[in-house]
């Protein structure tokens, strides 16, 4: 009887161990781990190497990367791939960075809206000729700096990307939206100050 009890205990121990191993194997990976696995570094490097030096410099400037001291084209490429890979944890398109306002293309915005994220998207639809839009620009930058990695902050030019502005039903400028995936959470028209922007997005963080 004693021997049978010991065998049962051993069996229970093995069973528990097997269950733990299976549970670990079945445990879902974090969103950051998934994004890192999904990031196609080789593919992105190939895309960057296909670009001209002038285009690489323009891309560096968009990401606030100081490129003047780079001598070789590969220096530009390596600086960009590091920035893009770091952004991949935060931004679906890889173009957006925490604490900064990113001017998006229509394609990049489509990517940002393609799936839900822990960080909602605060989007400013603007035009360069719009006075209130220009007045709000520094306020949006200040708000982005304070929001950090809690919110993706972007803007899109309604003249350059008219189809996207029409798709988002922007009637007045600026139009500010809070979006998560393809879902619109809120919108407001007119220029906002920093504190108003923060109050506007706070319920969705």
């Amino acid at each position: 009887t004693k021997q049978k009890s010991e065998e049962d205990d051993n069996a229970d121990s093995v069973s528990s161990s097997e269950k733990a191993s299976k549970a670990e194997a079945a445990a879902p990976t974090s969103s950051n781990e998934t994004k890192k696995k999904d990031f196609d570094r080789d593919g992105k490097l190939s895309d960057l190497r296909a670009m001209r030096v002038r285009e690489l410099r323009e891309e560096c400037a968009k990401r606030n990367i100081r490129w003047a001291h780079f001598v070789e084209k590969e220096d530009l490429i390596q600086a960009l791939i590091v920035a893009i890979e770091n952004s991949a944890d935060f931004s679906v398109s890889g173009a957006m960075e925490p604490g900064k306002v990113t001017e998006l293309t229509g394609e990049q915005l489509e990517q940002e809206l393609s799936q839900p994220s822990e960080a909602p998207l605060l989007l400013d639809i603007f035009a360069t000729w719009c006075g209130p839009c220009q007045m709000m620009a520094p306020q949006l930058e200040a708000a982005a700096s304070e929001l950090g990695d809690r919110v993706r902050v972007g803007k899109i030019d309604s003249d350059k990307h008219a189809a996207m502005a029409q798709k988002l039903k922007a009637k007045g400028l600026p139009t500010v939206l809070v979006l998560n995936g393809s879902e619109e959470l809120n919108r407001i028209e007119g220029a906002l100050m920093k504190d108003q922007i923060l109050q506007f997005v706070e319920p969705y963080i």
Side-chain angles (χ1 to χ4, degrees), residues 180-199:
N180 202 339
S182 59
E183 182 183 3
E184 180 182 318
L185 303 177
N186 204 353
R187 73 165 55 212
I188 191 169
E189 291 181 6
L192 302 173
M193 297 297 100
K194 185 192 86 167
D195 288 346
Q196 292 174 309
I197 294 169
L198 295 174
Q199 288 172 10

Side-chain angles (χ1 to χ4, degrees), residues 4-61:
K4 188 176 186 308
S5 176
E6 288 175 352
E7 287 173 355
D8 289 343
D9 288 344
N10 289 338
D12 289 341
S13 177
V14 171
S15 177
S16 298
S17 177
E18 287 175 350
K19 286 178 182 176
S21 297
K22 287 179 182 177
E24 287 175 7
T29 56
S30 70
S31 58
N32 281 352
E33 287 173 346
T34 301
K35 286 178 183 177
K36 284 177 182 176
K37 288 177 183 176
D38 290 345
F39 181 71
D40 182 6
R41 195 174 198 276
D42 291 340
K44 196 62 188 176
L45 277 171
S46 179
D47 292 343
L48 291 172
R49 289 189 173 120
M51 295 169 69
R52 298 177 179 179
V53 169
R54 176 179 56 80
E55 293 171 326
L56 291 169
R57 287 173 176 168
E58 288 174 354
E59 193 63 30
C60 283

Side-chain angles (χ1 to χ4, degrees), residues 164-184:
M164 180 57 73
Q166 186 175 2
K167 182 178 178 180
L168 293 171
K169 300 177 182 176
K171 296 177 181 178
L173 296 176
T175 293
V176 184
L177 300 96
V178 182
L179 304 145
N180 202 339
S182 59
E183 182 183 3
E184 180 182 318

